[in-house]
């Protein structure tokens, strides 16, 4: 990243670097190779970052060339020279007292003291707060779940937006999150009911410890599929995790997941963009306050294999003929009809499609679906949910389950 392009390596393609004297010289020779350089101006607003990158690379390369035992002293002298040059060119541009002290050292933390006058340690992630890295749960890397847990204790506010949240993903994080909230720090969570993967138990536990939780109850589209955390720190060392990991055990610990952990120090624009986007979502009426009863109605149970299709289910030609004959019979004054069809021809789908049509014509649409086995009832309910595009449709009356609204009931004999 930021590596200087060797002049002998200039080939046709895209570039984005400042033109220095040597690059200008090499560009002048391109004509003989039937190549033409496209030169663009640099916006004044970009100059601080652009020139800072170049000068920073000079300093880095120079110090890397110095023997390790001489590097610290050279770093101090070099920084003093750079600082003096900047001060001469632009007086008062750099605050007084910004010189690096000797010996070279870094502030690692400021910790509170216990009544015994011993410091109360703050847990640190293995990945330095100033680093931006790709995390893949590889064997030679710290796991993303472990690093997230280690970031909680030092955050002043935590914002997370995750499509799916499971109990297995939060149970190891509940205690540090509880301590975070009890210390007066905010914990804001945005999630969804899509595909029923988010578990009610998980959200209830997060709500109980003091988290603010908002949910998208839309089950017909993916709408929100983001997976990201932000750890806000008043110290100026905020970090964000953006990638493929939902809040599940496999995603956090064992899965082949890709996540970028970015730091405010190296990527301030990215962190600021996260902050702005999250604030937009939080204010969006599409994301509503978590309500356990409503969530239970909207979410498909995780042990149900139903995943709602993002498109309408339409009948096959032979099914369409049956549906049309049912409509004809009803128009003739025969409201009670029997459909007989071979196994595997989609009788439940026919029933669901017929009901979908009927409820568009009736003032009140109620349903009783009877079958002799629990598994058939659950599969049939899932089919109706598919066809009607309603993940909360229907109640089961089988085993220990009993309806509460009695509008659309799937019952055993």
């Amino acid at each position: 990243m930021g590596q200087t392009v060797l002049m002998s390596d200039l080939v046709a393609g895209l570039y984005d670097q400042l033109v220095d004297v040597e690059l200008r010289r090499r560009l002048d020779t391109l004509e003989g190779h039937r190549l033409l350089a496209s030169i663009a101006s640099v916006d004044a607003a970009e100059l601080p970052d652009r020139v800072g990158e170049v000068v920073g690379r000079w300093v880095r390369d120079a110090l890397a060339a110095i023997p390790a035992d001489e590097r610290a002293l050279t770093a101090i002298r070099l920084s003093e020279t750079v600082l003096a040059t900047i001060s001469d060119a632009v007086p008062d541009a750099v605050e007084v007292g910004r010189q690096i002290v000797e010996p070279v050292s870094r502030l690692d933390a400021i910790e509170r003291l216990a009544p015994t006058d011993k410091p109360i340690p703050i847990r640190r992630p293995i990945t330095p707060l100033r680093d931006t890295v790709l995390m893949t749960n590889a064997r030679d890397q710290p796991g993303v779940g472990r690093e997230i847990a280690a970031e909680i204790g030092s955050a002043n506010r935590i914002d997370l937006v995750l499509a799916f949240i499971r109990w297995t993903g939060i149970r190891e994080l509940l205690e540090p999150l509880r301590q975070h909230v009890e210390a007066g720090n905010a914990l804001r969570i945005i999630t969804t009911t899509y595909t029923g993967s988010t578990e009610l138990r998980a959200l209830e536990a997060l709500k109980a410890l003091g988290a603010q939780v908002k949910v998208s109850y839309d089950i017909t589209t993916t709408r929100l599929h983001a997976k990201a955390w932000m750890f806000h720190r008043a110290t100026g060392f905020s970090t964000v995790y953006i990638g493929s990991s939902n809040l599940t055990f496999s995603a956090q610990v064992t899965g082949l997941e890709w996540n970028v952990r970015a730091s405010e120090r190296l990527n301030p624009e990215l962190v600021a963009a996260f902050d702005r986007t999250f604030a937009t979502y939080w204010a969006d009426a599409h994301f509503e306050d978590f309500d356990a009863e409503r969530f239970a109605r909207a979410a498909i149970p995780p042990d149900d294999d139903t995943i709602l299709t993002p498109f309408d289910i339409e009948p096959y030609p032979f099914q369409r003929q049956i549906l049309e004959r049912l409509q004809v019979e009803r128009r003739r004054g025969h409201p009670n009809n029997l459909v007989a069809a071979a196994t595997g021809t989609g009788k439940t789908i026919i029933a669901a499609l017929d009901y979908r049509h009927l409820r568009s014509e009736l003032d009140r649409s109620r349903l009783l679906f009877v079958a002799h086995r629990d598994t058939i009832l659950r599969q049939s309910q899932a089919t109706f949910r598919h066809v009607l595009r309603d993940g909360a449709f229907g109640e089961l009356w089988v085993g220990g389950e009993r309806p509460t609204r009695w509008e659309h009931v799937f019952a055993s004999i």
Side-chain angles (χ1 to χ4, degrees), residues 152-396:
I152 294 172
S154 57
N156 301 109
R157 186 176 84 240
I158 300 174
D159 292 334
L160 57 144
V161 49
L162 295 166
F164 312 135
I165 299 177
R166 304 295 293 270
W167 171 253
T168 58
I170 69 161
R171 60 187 175 191
E172 300 300 326
L173 300 177
L174 286 178
E175 186 54 35
L177 287 174
R178 187 186 314 281
Q179 295 173 8
H180 169 86
V181 174
E182 289 178 349
N185 301 312
L187 171 60
R188 302 189 298 177
I189 300 169
I190 295 176
T191 188
T192 78
T193 58
Y194 185 69
T195 78
S197 293
T198 296
E199 291 181 319
L200 175 61
R201 178 187 182 188
L203 296 192
E204 288 181 324
L206 290 167
K207 184 74 174 180
L209 62 81
Q212 298 172 269
V213 182
K214 289 196 173 185
V215 179
S216 166
Y217 293 99
D218 182 357
I219 47 74
T220 62
T221 66
T222 54
R223 190 70 187 270
L224 173 72
H225 206 253
K227 297 102 174 179
W229 295 69
M230 181 168 187
F231 297 93
H232 298 257
R233 295 185 177 87
T235 60
F237 285 85
S238 298
T239 51
V240 299
Y241 289 72
I242 304 173
S244 64
S245 291
N246 280 297
L247 196 42
T248 65
F249 177 80
S250 61
Q252 299 290 316
V253 181
T254 61
L256 299 178
E257 306 281 347
W258 284 37
N259 298 275
V260 172
R261 195 284 213 133
S263 73
E264 184 178 8
R265 282 291 163 146
L266 289 186
N267 304 100
E269 298 87 358
L270 187 153
V271 173
F274 183 113
D275 204 16
R276 290 192 303 270
T277 305
F278 187 92
T280 301
Y281 286 4
W282 193 256
D284 191 334
H286 179 77
F287 301 104
E288 304 176 59
D289 290 337
F290 167 65
D291 177 84
E293 184 177 349
R294 183 179 180 190
F295 183 92
R297 292 199 306 266
I300 305 169
D303 59 353
D304 185 339
D305 292 332
T306 304
I307 299 178
L308 297 187
T309 57
F311 48 82
D312 288 333
I313 293 179
E314 299 297 336
Y316 288 114
F318 73 90
Q319 293 172 331
R320 185 177 294 109
Q321 291 178 10
I322 295 173
L323 292 168
E324 290 172 353
R325 288 182 62 183
L326 284 170
Q327 294 175 30
V328 168
E329 291 302 316
R330 291 191 182 108
R331 284 196 293 269
R332 290 178 175 175
H334 303 147
N336 304 314
N337 296 280
L338 173 68
V339 173
T343 301
T345 54
K347 291 186 291 294
T348 305
I349 289 180
I350 292 172
L353 290 168
D354 186 44
Y355 174 79
R356 186 174 73 180
H357 172 75
L358 274 175
R359 75 173 186 174
S360 68
E361 297 183 337
L362 300 175
D363 294 332
R364 184 182 183 189
S365 54
R366 305 181 74 192
L367 173 75
L368 174 62
F369 189 102
V370 180
H372 66 292
R373 292 179 57 190
D374 176 286
T375 54
I376 295 176
L377 283 177
R378 294 182 187 278
Q379 291 169 359
S380 300
Q381 183 188 39
T383 298
F384 271 75
R385 288 177 170 181
H386 272 300
V387 171
L388 301 175
R389 303 283 297 281
D390 181 356
F393 182 82
E395 298 176 287
L396 293 171

Side-chain angles (χ1 to χ4, degrees), residues 44-217:
E46 295 182 8
L47 276 176
D49 288 336
R50 293 282 190 166
V51 175
E53 290 174 7
V54 173
V55 175
R57 186 163 59 246
W58 294 346
V59 173
R60 184 182 68 239
D61 292 346
L63 290 177
I66 300 296
D69 58 347
E70 302 175 15
R71 196 168 290 163
L73 182 60
T74 303
I76 292 175
R77 302 293 175 259
L78 184 57
S79 66
E80 290 174 345
T81 301
V82 171
L83 191 60
T85 301
I86 293 174
S87 297
D88 289 342
V90 187
D92 302 324
V94 182
E95 298 175 16
V96 176
R98 300 306 297 268
Q99 300 91 335
I100 298 175
V101 301
E102 189 175 352
V104 178
S105 56
R106 67 184 180 90
L107 173 63
D108 183 53
I110 296 178
E111 300 171 326
R112 292 183 172 85
L113 295 178
T116 60
D117 289 336
K118 291 185 177 180
I120 302 173
I122 302 174
R123 186 178 179 185
R124 279 86 152 161
I126 295 175
T127 308
L129 290 182
R130 66 179 306 278
D131 285 0
T132 291
V133 298
L134 174 65
M135 307 182 73
T136 61
N137 282 346
R139 289 186 177 182
D140 60 344
Q141 289 184 338
V144 64
R146 189 266 175 211
E147 289 294 83
I148 283 175
E151 299 249 12
I152 294 172
S154 57
N156 301 109
R157 186 176 84 240
I158 300 174
D159 292 334
L160 57 144
V161 49
L162 295 166
F164 312 135
I165 299 177
R166 304 295 293 270
W167 171 253
T168 58
I170 69 161
R171 60 187 175 191
E172 300 300 326
L173 300 177
L174 286 178
E175 186 54 35
L177 287 174
R178 187 186 314 281
Q179 295 173 8
H180 169 86
V181 174
E182 289 178 349
N185 301 312
L187 171 60
R188 302 189 298 177
I189 300 169
I190 295 176
T191 188
T192 78
T193 58
Y194 185 69
T195 78
S197 293
T198 296
E199 291 181 319
L200 175 61
R201 178 187 182 188
L203 296 192
E204 288 181 324
L206 290 167
K207 184 74 174 180
L209 62 81
Q212 298 172 269
V213 182
K214 289 196 173 185
V215 179
S216 166
Y217 293 99

